[in-house]
């Protein structure tokens, strides 16, 4: 089975990312990631960009695509409108398949008018807007901005744009399911739910209630047409994450979740 990793971060050799990769049993290098992808049948990875919108800083190997990220590092002291021309330059590229927003890490709702030029570009170029939802990795972020319900208003007001709810709003799974089910233009990835190495048998025994809830609220959606596999590399061990998702998604829907949905939603045109 072919797999698309619909959510990763790619900062090879950077110290913090290298520590995460080592804790997950990996090396934070392009060569290692390519090797593991080949071994596991992952044919493409979608990078969620960080820290700059300068197109020169977004050069990726052929097995990757990317979403240009408008994150808290970039927005520290800047306005979204300051670099709208650079954002558009990225979106013109075939390798750039969308935009990534980071509410929570940056204290602004995605319904703020400041994001309207970004939404207009996404509509013009027909590329999705991926949105961080759910818990954050740092305690100095604000969860009220990253609650999955905040995506409902934006999706309803912009029916011509495809949105991706990253991390399925975890742990607000019921709310996330309601937003995705109600809005035809919202899909979700299920990345970022494991950190480091994991004993899956023990995890499914000790976290049975939580994982049954996750399974329930993924299954709430229409035939799994709006759920995409993603790893949040370098956060988790890739082989373990594939097995983790395989245990949660019924076998008859796995090709959709692991490949078909991301191929369609991000318009990758992979065969």
């Amino acid at each position: 089975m072919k797999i698309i990793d619909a959510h990763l971060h790619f900062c090879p050799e950077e110290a913090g990312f290298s520590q995460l990769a080592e804790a997950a049993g990996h090396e934070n290098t392009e060569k290692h990631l390519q090797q593991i992808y080949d071994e596991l049948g992952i044919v493409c990875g979608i990078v969620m960009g960080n820290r700059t919108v300068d197109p020169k800083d977004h050069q990726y190997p052929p097995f990757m695509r990317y979403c240009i990220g408008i994150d808290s590092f970039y927005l520290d002291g800047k306005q979204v409108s300051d670099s709208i021309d650079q954002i558009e330059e990225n979106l013109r590229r075939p390798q750039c398949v969308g935009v990534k927003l980071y509410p929570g890490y940056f204290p602004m709702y995605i319904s703020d008018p400041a994001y309207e030029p970004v939404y207009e570009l996404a509509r013009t170029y027909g590329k999705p807007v991926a949105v961080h939802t759910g818990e954050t990795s740092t305690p100095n972020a604000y969860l009220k901005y990253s609650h999955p319900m905040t995506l409902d208003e934006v999706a309803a007001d912009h029916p011509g744009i495809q949105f991706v709810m990253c991390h399925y709003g975890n742990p607000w799974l019921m709310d996330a399911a309601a937003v995705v089910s109600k809005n035809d233009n919202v899909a979700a990835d299920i990345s970022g739910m494991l950190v480091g190495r994991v004993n899956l048998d023990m995890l499914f025994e000790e976290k049975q209630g939580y994982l049954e809830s996750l399974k329930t609220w993924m299954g709430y959606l229409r035939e799994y047409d709006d759920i995409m596999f993603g790893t949040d590399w370098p956060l988790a061990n890739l082989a373990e994450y594939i097995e983790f998702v395989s245990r949660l998604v019924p076998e008859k829907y796995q090709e959709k979740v692991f490949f078909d949905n991301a191929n369609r939603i991000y318009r990758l045109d992979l065969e």
Side-chain angles (χ1 to χ4, degrees), residues 231-259:
T231 64
D232 216 3
W233 161 277
L235 202 61
N237 181 274
L238 300 186
E240 291 169 358
Y241 213 97
I242 291 172
E243 183 179 350
F244 171 71
V245 173
S246 296
R247 293 192 187 194
L248 293 170
V249 176
E251 185 175 0
K252 66 178 180 178
Y253 299 120
Q254 287 182 8
E255 287 192 10
K256 289 183 178 183
V257 172
F258 280 106
F259 182 84

Side-chain angles (χ1 to χ4, degrees), residues 156-245:
D157 288 347
H158 300 84
I161 298 173
Q162 173 71 62
F163 291 91
V164 175
M165 179 191 294
C166 300
H167 317 302
Y168 204 33
N170 188 47
W172 294 291
L173 302 171
M174 180 172 64
D175 298 320
V179 174
V180 177
S181 179
K182 177 233 174 189
N183 296 288
D184 289 339
N185 59 330
V186 179
D189 73 45
I190 47 174
S191 64
M193 296 181 179
L194 298 182
V195 178
R197 299 306 305 271
V198 176
N199 182 318
L200 289 172
D201 289 336
M202 186 177 298
L203 177 73
F204 275 81
E205 180 180 346
E206 294 181 348
K207 304 293 184 183
Q208 180 180 1
Y210 162 69
L211 293 173
E212 284 298 323
S213 179
L214 176 56
K215 189 174 182 179
T216 295
W217 291 112
M218 284 197 296
Y220 180 80
L221 302 180
R222 303 173 293 273
E223 301 279 307
Y224 290 81
D225 287 337
D226 298 310
I227 295 288
M228 296 179 287
F229 172 80
T231 64
D232 216 3
W233 161 277
L235 202 61
N237 181 274
L238 300 186
E240 291 169 358
Y241 213 97
I242 291 172
E243 183 179 350
F244 171 71
V245 173

Side-chain angles (χ1 to χ4, degrees), residues 1 10 32 54 77 111 119 126 153 156 159 193 195 213 227 253 267:
M1 179 175 61
F10 186 69
H32 175 81
D54 190 335
S111 57
Y119 298 145
E153 178 182 352
M193 296 181 179
V195 178
S213 179
I227 295 288
Y253 299 120
R267 302 184 180 186

